[in-house]
Amino acid sequence: MAEEVHAVLERCGVVAEATRNNIITREGFTQLADFGVLENDTDVSEMAKRMASRTVAEGRVLLGTVVVKRLQTLVWWVRDRQKCGLPLVAADFDAEAMDEAAQMKVLSRELADKEPSVKELGKFDPDDFDAYEDAFLNLLAQSYGVLREPLCYVVRSEEVPEAFATTHEERMYQFPLKGNSFELDSQAVYRKLKAFLIDSPGWAWIEPHDAAENGRAAYMAWAAHYNGEGELSKRTAIAKARLNQVHYRNERSMSFEKCTEIMTKCFNTLHKDVDQRFLDRQKVEKLLKAICCQDAELLAAKAVIDQQYPRDFIGACGYFSQQVARIHGSAQLEYKQLRTKKRGVYAVDTRGGRGSRARGRFGRGGNRGARGNNAGRGGSGGGAQVIINGIDVTDPNRNFTAQEWEALGPNNGRAIVLQMRECASGRGNRDGRGRGRGRGRGGSERNIGAVGAEEHAHEEEGTPANNAGGDRGGRNGRGFGRGAYGGGRS
């Protein structure tokens, strides 16, 4: 056994045999396992200082920085083999193993300092068990236990894979599922699972393990229930219904990215049931059926998919996504901005004009509020001309040409026009009584802020149509106002 200690010390750079004998004799290293007594780098550094502080007669040993670092790597390698239950063989600690151990020692220390929170998982939804199970396993892969290893080994499958996908997966199956370290790590897993499920239906299936805090048993019970025939059949039915309901029409109603995300999740759920699995060709056919847009170029892209990607769902999604971005790139950006901002403040140019009688179509305006079904209230600043991106939108209910609607795209101009229409159709008094006198003055130019834009999720893309109700209200308001104030003239 002493020969093995000599071999690893020589590998670390202690070349002189007399020096190795001194270390072995005075520090008590009789076998490789003795290096595992040292817990960390600090223990090795303290040992080196202690040996250097002795007198020559007492066996003084001076170790250089490189040798100390290599000894620290040796200690980490020995302890790592011990916790994995692997044999300690001096020949295995060659130059390649030492370099790999040095890298893993640093990486494991850095990764162990990052601890994710269970709150990031959200509230558990049984109908989406597959996604939440993956999220919880990912959380365990980023959480470290007493072994300074990812906790996911605690809930690994009983069956060992015939071939490991990665070295990390192989390493996960090396840790024993017994002993004090495992018990503490299993307890840590249970506490995370409990915090995740405590306020959800999933709590009922792990509560029996609350007293023992057996994380592995609790996880297995949770997974067994929701992967059972009853729950799986329910999720399968939901997935099939979602596949039949999902449709892509344009980026405003539902983005193509969201559409493919829903379809992919449904396919993954159905894949767990052998009888419900979709073949590659069926997935592409389902995608083509879900695309219900009227754009000529996108319809042509469907034909390309049918010819070039008949059995490649991922390739088909990638190709169609490129075409959507090429054709409607600006629309995608606009809709994403609207989703992330419930309200926005945009600069709108107004050119003041002479006060005029309100027409009952749009909010506040005019010297005098008009009477009519949809008449708005009169207010200050009446008669102002509203210009957005060089387009006159004073009357938001008018027909805009295709060129005008395109010009309104930047700065969320379209959203502002749509909100102005909502104001015109919804804020007027039902009894048709407009109130307030206009105080607008001609010749002035100013910027108006505080125009909030909200997403109109079901608005189809294209040139907007007139609001017939608002226009009719305006005509009624003009007629009624003339009869009341104009001496019966029409």
Side-chain angles (χ1 to χ4, degrees), residues 105-400:
K105 180 169 74 74
V106 175
L107 291 174
S108 61
R109 182 174 63 248
E110 293 178 350
L111 290 173
D113 292 337
K114 302 176 181 178
E115 184 73 13
S117 173
V118 177
K119 295 180 180 179
E120 299 174 3
L121 301 181
K123 187 174 182 179
F124 171 62
D125 180 4
D127 292 341
D128 204 8
F129 171 78
D130 299 316
Y132 281 101
E133 182 187 30
D134 290 342
F136 183 75
L137 292 176
N138 184 57
L139 176 79
L140 295 183
Q142 301 176 65
S143 304
Y144 292 77
V146 296
L147 294 177
R148 306 292 284 180
E149 295 291 337
L151 289 173
C152 53
Y153 86 91
V154 174
V155 297
R156 72 188 186 211
S157 174
E158 293 284 357
E159 299 180 4
V160 180
E162 295 181 0
F164 296 106
T166 63
T167 56
H168 295 288
E169 184 183 26
E170 181 180 8
R171 182 179 177 81
M172 182 176 69
Y173 277 87
Q174 293 173 347
F175 302 120
L177 299 180
K178 59 183 179 179
N180 294 331
S181 297
F182 168 75
E183 294 295 336
L184 291 173
D185 284 348
S186 180
Q187 184 182 65
V189 169
Y190 178 80
R191 291 175 179 177
K192 291 179 181 295
L193 187 61
K194 178 179 179 179
F196 176 42
L197 300 177
I198 188 68
D199 293 326
S200 73
W203 167 245
W205 307 104
I206 71 167
E207 188 177 9
H209 305 280
D210 192 56
E213 291 191 320
N214 189 331
R216 178 173 175 82
Y219 172 83
M220 293 301 178
W222 177 57
H225 171 72
Y226 287 104
N227 282 323
E229 184 176 352
E231 289 294 322
L232 184 58
S233 297
K234 183 177 71 174
R235 295 202 306 277
T236 298
I238 293 174
K240 293 171 68 175
R242 286 177 178 173
L243 280 176
N244 292 330
Q245 294 172 1
V246 65
H247 294 93
Y248 173 74
R249 293 183 175 85
N250 54 49
E251 289 297 297
R252 185 182 293 274
S253 59
M254 176 188 291
S255 68
F256 183 70
E257 179 181 359
K258 183 65 176 179
C259 176
T260 54
E261 174 192 344
I262 294 174
M263 297 186 71
T264 302
K265 291 176 65 175
C266 291
F267 290 143
N268 291 339
T269 299
L270 294 172
H271 190 75
K272 287 191 172 184
D273 190 333
V274 178
D275 297 329
Q276 300 295 335
R277 292 178 181 177
F278 273 64
L279 301 176
D280 293 335
R281 175 58 184 170
Q282 292 175 320
K283 292 180 180 180
V284 175
E285 290 176 348
K286 202 67 177 177
L287 174 65
L288 294 175
K289 186 177 180 180
I291 299 174
C292 303
C293 59
Q294 301 300 320
D295 188 287
E297 292 185 81
L298 294 183
L299 291 176
K302 290 179 62 176
V304 174
I305 290 175
D306 195 29
Q307 295 175 1
Q308 299 184 11
Y309 304 93
R311 292 176 176 81
D312 185 359
F313 176 75
I314 296 177
C317 292
Y319 172 77
F320 196 81
S321 180
Q322 290 178 351
Q323 302 309 306
V324 172
R326 178 179 63 83
I327 299 170
H328 299 298
S330 59
Q332 285 180 322
L333 178 61
E334 177 184 344
Y335 302 150
K336 286 181 180 179
Q337 290 175 343
L338 289 175
R339 291 189 186 100
T340 56
K341 295 181 180 180
K342 293 183 178 180
R343 288 197 65 184
V345 178
Y346 308 96
V348 180
D349 291 333
T350 63
R351 294 177 175 82
R354 295 184 61 185
S356 59
R357 189 180 297 272
R359 295 177 177 267
R361 292 187 184 179
F362 166 52
R364 303 173 184 269
N367 287 334
R368 194 175 190 87
R371 297 173 180 267
N373 291 335
N374 289 322
R377 295 186 179 190
S380 61
Q385 185 181 24
V386 183
I387 304 295
I388 301 178
N389 298 339
I391 305 300
D392 184 356
V393 296
T394 308
D395 181 4
N397 294 314
R398 72 177 179 86
N399 277 323
F400 292 93

Side-chain angles (χ1 to χ4, degrees), residues 67-119:
V67 175
V68 172
K69 289 293 183 182
R70 288 175 178 174
L71 285 174
Q72 291 173 343
T73 300
L74 171 63
V75 169
W76 186 92
W77 180 81
V78 170
R79 291 178 63 85
D80 184 65
R81 304 277 293 185
Q82 287 176 332
K83 69 183 179 183
C84 292
L86 299 176
L88 291 173
V89 180
D92 293 340
F93 189 68
D94 53 16
E96 182 180 356
M98 186 167 59
D99 290 342
E100 182 180 357
Q103 294 177 7
M104 291 300 298
K105 180 169 74 74
V106 175
L107 291 174
S108 61
R109 182 174 63 248
E110 293 178 350
L111 290 173
D113 292 337
K114 302 176 181 178
E115 184 73 13
S117 173
V118 177
K119 295 180 180 179

